[in-house]
Amino acid sequence: MTVTDAASATRIVHRPEDGRRIAYEVLGPAHGFPVFLLHGTPGSRLGPRPRGIVLHRLGIQLITYDRPGYGESERVQGRDVAHAAQDVRAIADELDLDRFSVVGRSGGGPHALACAADGNLRDRLIRVAVLVSLAPAGAPGWYEGMNGDNHKQFGNAVTDPAELESEIRRRASGIDVDPDFLLGLLTDQMTTADHRVVSDAALRRQLRLSYRDAIKNGPYGWIDDVLALRRDWKVDLGAITTPVRVWHGGEDTFAPATHSRYLADMIGKTAELDVRPGAAHFDAMPELPRTLRWLAARPALATR
């Protein structure tokens, strides 16, 4: 059952299996091609996305949702990356979508790949894209080229989860007091390319809104995301048969481009790798409209 919050575009679906609450939004033309956008870490359904006029021009109906523990979605403690396919399937069923595409950005990338690998979902997917994604924890050289802050936080997810949780709680409290708090911390880790992208005032507003909404009911989605990304994903990349576009900025230090190279190798012949020289992590945001155009390519739809 879907309930719409009259004060916003937010809709709530309660999974029939367990009644768990999932918050999502639908943007763009009603008859546009449906694409799920899976937000980063931390993030929410309100995260950066193209303006409505861009979605109309592309003919895209964009669906965003809060992963468990973020925003208005109910927490699932101990979830793994593979769990994301359940929520995407529940929303797609509620919207009566037979065919659709999925894109995941940053921490959303692994969750998009979980949809592509899921046996109950993969036949409904037209195309999948991942932008500046992390690789599974077992990938060789996982930390190489990663900035110091991400190295420390993801390292604590393995060696000291209590310290990780304490630090995320501290950061969530900082965001609650000042929506610019996290952007300030991230700025110290950004490359010149990232600074260029994030200097856009409209994008900064979207990021502040997303971060603030992500932790409005606590830091649990953020904590669970980091732990899930460093555990076994429970995702078989070799089982993916859907066309996958793997895009990365070559100068990324939040999730180095070696992660995407590994993903493309593991997925195999259905993967298309694009590592962009001179681009970095936040360049995934201006890249999104081009990716949406690829995801909605009608020739791919006709072959299914």
Side-chain angles (χ1 to χ4, degrees), residues 76 78-84 111 228 231-234:
V76 178
R79 61 179 165 87
D80 50 40
V81 168
H83 181 273
H111 297 88
R231 285 196 295 257
D232 182 355
W233 290 3
K234 306 293 178 64

Side-chain angles (χ1 to χ4, degrees), residues 12-301:
I12 303 294
V13 61
H14 293 274
R15 293 179 74 248
E17 295 87 350
D18 55 15
R20 181 168 52 83
R21 184 180 68 252
I22 308 168
Y24 70 100
E25 291 195 2
V26 181
L27 309 147
H31 300 292
F33 181 78
V35 176
F36 282 80
L37 170 60
L38 278 53
H39 62 75
T41 302
S44 76
R45 70 195 183 283
L46 304 180
R49 64 269 184 113
R51 292 179 299 161
I53 191 171
V54 176
L55 296 176
H56 278 268
R57 187 170 68 244
L58 293 172
I60 295 289
Q61 182 186 72
L62 195 67
I63 303 148
T64 64
Y65 81 97
D66 296 333
R67 280 195 296 279
Y70 283 117
E72 299 289 349
S73 288
E74 192 171 350
R75 185 186 189 188
V76 178
Q77 194 165 3
R79 61 179 165 87
D80 50 40
V81 168
H83 181 273
Q86 297 181 30
D87 288 354
V88 170
R89 188 166 65 250
I91 298 168
D93 289 347
E94 184 66 21
L95 296 174
D96 198 25
L97 302 178
D98 291 328
R99 294 286 189 271
F100 51 91
S101 291
V102 176
V103 55
R105 182 174 55 219
S106 190
H111 297 88
L113 293 174
C115 296
D118 184 79
N120 295 316
L121 195 58
R122 70 168 73 103
D123 290 341
R124 299 168 69 176
L125 295 180
I126 304 305
R127 289 181 170 185
V128 173
V130 291
L131 309 176
V132 296
S133 178
L134 291 163
W142 202 88
Y143 290 110
E144 290 179 11
M146 185 176 289
N147 66 50
D149 188 64
N150 268 22
H151 190 298
K152 180 179 180 180
Q153 300 312 317
F154 282 118
N156 281 342
V158 178
T159 62
D160 196 347
E163 173 58 26
L164 170 71
E165 179 170 342
S166 176
E167 176 59 18
I168 289 178
R169 286 183 179 277
R170 185 186 74 83
R171 295 183 181 200
S173 295
I175 295 169
D176 194 44
V177 173
D178 176 9
D180 278 319
F181 176 80
L182 183 58
L183 273 174
L185 289 179
L186 295 177
T187 296
D188 293 337
Q189 306 293 324
M190 289 182 187
T191 63
T192 300
D194 282 331
H195 278 287
R196 182 183 63 248
V197 174
V198 178
S199 66
D200 180 81
L203 176 59
R204 291 182 70 88
R205 282 195 299 270
Q206 287 185 310
L207 287 170
R208 286 194 295 266
L209 179 63
S210 178
Y211 296 153
R212 187 72 176 266
D213 193 73
I215 55 92
K216 65 188 297 182
N217 289 311
Y220 309 110
W222 192 353
I223 293 167
D224 295 341
D225 250 10
V226 175
L227 293 173
L229 289 167
R230 286 299 290 153
R231 285 196 295 257
D232 182 355
W233 290 3
K234 306 293 178 64
V235 173
D236 181 3
L237 296 174
I240 295 174
T241 57
T242 304
V244 180
R245 182 173 189 243
V246 184
W247 187 94
H248 220 112
E251 306 303 316
D252 193 342
T253 63
F254 289 89
T258 51
H259 287 238
S260 278
R261 293 189 177 98
Y262 178 86
L263 291 173
D265 285 345
M266 295 303 294
I267 295 167
K269 62 182 180 180
T270 65
E272 168 191 316
L273 176 64
D274 182 359
V275 177
R276 194 69 53 83
H281 195 74
F282 286 86
D283 281 286
M285 295 169 187
E287 180 64 24
L288 182 58
R290 287 186 288 270
T291 299
L292 290 173
R293 186 178 293 111
W294 180 86
L295 287 165
R298 293 312 187 263
L301 180 58

